Amino acid sequence: MSKPTSPFTKEQLLPQEEMIEVARKKGKLFIGIPRETSYQEKRVCLTPDAVAALTNNGHQVLIETNAGLGASFTDREYSEAGAEITNDTKKVFGCPIILKVEPPSLEELEHINPQTVLISALQLKTQSKKFFQELAKKRITALGFEFIRDSDGAYPAVRALSEIAGTAAVLIASEIMSDTLVGSGLMMGNISGVPPAEVVIIGAGTVGEFAARSAIGLGANVKVFDNSITKLRCLQTNVGRPLYTSTIQPKNLLKALRRSDVVIGAVRGKDRSPIIVSETMVERMKTGAIIIDVSIDMGGCFETSDVTSHDHPTFTKHGVVHYCVPNIPSKYAKTSSLSISNIFTPYLLQIGEEGGIENTVRFDRGLKNGLYFYHGILTNKSIADWFDLSYRDINLLIM
């Protein structure tokens, strides 16, 4: 009679080693915050309160002298919060983690050490191929904060700055209207016996929603145009009241433009904002009407728009005042800095708790989405396509 065979091999019957999870070691971060040198950029990434939260958790923060002055934060406030203050720019750029609002210039990149972690905006449309070649050469790991997603899949930094831009557009329009030399001398508010100001908003995204909230709050008569019915429906729901909405039909839009006192353009495109309002349509608007082109950083959605600056923000064409300043949030530097700091601080604390950027992006998909360079390897397909560069999937690099 044959001997029965076991379904297991001898090796399988022996005690096996068991893999156990090892707790991730908490890391100490050394963060450098240089003073912003981009034209008219006054914001700073971290407020003194945020610095205090980081230093109280054992992290080190080095700040260049007067880095927060444009946002009304003094060196003394940062020093009392636990930061080290220095006037040596190279020393700040020598930190293992660099935190900036604007991306570094090519001159600033020269001061950055190899293997540094860079966290800033990317602003793809303003970059050159050489910028990415320098990042690769220094094997830098870089995150663009406009690409970081939260747990809901939204882009927190983009939304926060869009909220500011939308609210600011109405405040700026109100300010221009009250100037009898440039504007019409009207008040945005709804005064008894006086017809309210007519505000037209083109684009029902975050900028459009917050512009509508602010204009309605001041008592203006608001009309919103967008080709997405879903966005128009969401805007009405979020605003909490019914208001005039329409798809972008030339006849309806022109009728609204001819009666408008303020027109806010907040339409974004894939590579460039589409031109929604032609020069002929602008010619038919009221004398003294105001155009606020929030889309100017992507080319503008008015055919008559030309880029202006915070120093000289307006020009008049066909009797219509145009405000076409890119980077509107930097006009309200303290509010913008507080908003950015609120986004950065939890991520930095998380990176410290999990032992560094590599462990964090391995488990945080939203933060991983913001990564566009990993140890000098390009990981963003959009950048690769735009500048004809090779890239690798970040999921193949971080397992």
Side-chain angles (χ1 to χ4, degrees):
M1 189 174 178
S2 61
K3 188 177 180 181
T5 57
S6 171
F8 301 103
T9 63
K10 183 179 179 181
E11 288 75 14
Q12 287 174 323
L13 292 170
L14 292 172
Q16 301 293 308
E17 291 181 353
E18 183 181 356
M19 300 293 287
I20 62 170
E21 185 177 353
V22 178
R24 291 189 288 274
K25 187 179 179 182
K26 184 175 178 179
K28 181 180 178 182
L29 306 181
F30 189 7
I31 303 162
I33 302 178
R35 185 170 62 243
E36 298 292 335
T37 56
S38 297
Y39 181 59
Q40 294 188 331
E41 182 55 76
K42 299 176 182 178
R43 295 172 293 178
V44 65
C45 285
L46 294 179
T47 64
D49 285 345
V51 169
L54 289 164
T55 54
N56 288 339
N57 276 271
H59 305 302
Q60 193 174 348
V61 181
L62 180 65
I63 297 181
E64 188 175 358
T65 304
N66 295 332
L69 202 59
S72 302
F73 298 119
T74 64
D75 288 347
R76 182 176 178 176
E77 288 177 283
Y78 281 112
S79 181
E80 289 175 351
E84 181 186 343
I85 311 297
T86 180
N87 57 8
D88 188 345
T89 304
K90 291 182 181 179
K91 186 178 178 183
V92 179
F93 278 105
C95 293
I97 299 176
I98 305 295
L99 207 56
K100 284 184 96 285
V101 177
E102 297 284 331
S105 63
L106 291 174
E107 292 76 20
E108 288 171 332
L109 274 178
E110 291 177 9
H111 302 317
I112 297 178
N113 292 330
Q115 299 286 9
T116 294
V117 174
L118 170 66
I119 305 173
S120 72
L122 171 59
Q123 296 180 352
L124 179 59
K125 305 298 186 296
T126 64
Q127 292 302 350
S128 64
K129 192 171 185 176
K130 190 175 180 182
F131 175 80
F132 300 105
Q133 290 171 337
E134 286 297 313
L135 293 180
K137 190 189 299 180
K138 294 206 170 188
R139 304 187 305 283
I140 286 171
T141 297
L143 285 104
F145 65 67
E146 65 264 54
F147 299 131
I148 296 173
R149 291 178 181 266
D150 59 20
S151 56
D152 297 325
Y155 297 90
V158 174
R159 180 168 178 84
L161 295 176
S162 295
E163 289 174 3
I164 294 168
T167 304
V170 174
L171 297 176
I172 290 164
S174 182
E175 187 181 324
I176 296 170
M177 284 170 70
S178 67
D179 186 343
T180 53
L181 296 176
V182 180
S184 56
L186 287 172
M187 180 184 279
M188 184 75 78
N190 188 358
I191 305 303
S192 301
V194 180
E198 296 282 338
V199 176
V200 171
I201 299 169
I202 305 171
T206 304
V207 173
E209 178 191 327
F210 277 77
R213 283 175 186 268
S214 301
I216 290 167
L218 289 171
N221 190 21
V222 178
K223 296 178 179 178
V224 183
F225 290 81
D226 198 294
N227 275 333
S228 169
I229 299 295
T230 302
K231 283 186 178 180
L232 292 171
R233 187 179 293 118
C234 286
L235 184 143
Q236 287 207 103
T237 302
N238 293 340
V239 167
R241 55 168 288 177
L243 69 159
Y244 180 104
T245 58
S246 171
T247 52
I248 302 173
Q249 299 173 15
K251 187 177 179 180
N252 286 348
L253 181 58
L254 180 58
K255 185 179 177 181
L257 290 174
R258 291 178 69 176
R259 296 187 61 183
S260 65
D261 297 298
V262 175
V263 184
I264 297 170
V267 180
R268 300 186 73 83
K270 187 176 180 183
D271 296 325
R272 187 203 187 286
S273 295
I275 292 176
I276 306 295
V277 180
S278 66
E279 186 165 356
T280 305
M281 295 168 87
V282 173
E283 287 174 356
R284 299 179 72 176
M285 290 173 64
K286 289 192 296 192
T287 299
I290 298 162
I291 285 173
I292 309 288
D293 197 346
V294 184
S295 303
I296 194 65
D297 61 340
M298 291 190 72
C301 58
F302 297 83
E303 192 176 6
T304 49
S305 289
D306 283 311
V307 176
T308 58
S309 69
H310 288 299
D311 293 332
H312 303 285
T314 62
F315 66 89
T316 303
K317 195 167 188 177
H318 304 304
V320 178
V321 181
H322 292 62
Y323 182 99
C324 307
V325 179
N327 193 13
I328 286 176
S330 70
K331 180 179 173 70
Y332 303 90
K334 189 162 190 174
T335 298
S336 298
S337 297
L338 287 163
S339 187
I340 293 169
S341 183
N342 289 341
I343 293 164
F344 274 137
T345 308
Y347 278 119
L348 291 169
L349 291 171
Q350 181 186 354
I351 289 168
E353 285 293 327
E354 298 188 355
I357 190 75
E358 297 199 18
N359 283 335
T360 309
V361 295
R362 186 174 287 117
F363 300 103
D364 189 321
R365 295 175 64 183
L367 198 63
K368 187 192 292 183
N369 197 70
L371 208 63
Y372 64 92
F373 253 85
Y374 182 72
H375 293 297
I377 300 170
L378 180 62
T379 59
N380 185 293
K381 189 177 186 300
S382 298
I383 297 172
D385 292 343
W386 190 269
F387 292 100
D388 191 27
L389 296 165
S390 59
Y391 84 105
R392 298 274 300 277
D393 187 335
I394 185 61
N395 294 306
L396 299 178
L397 299 174
I398 301 176
M399 301 301 289

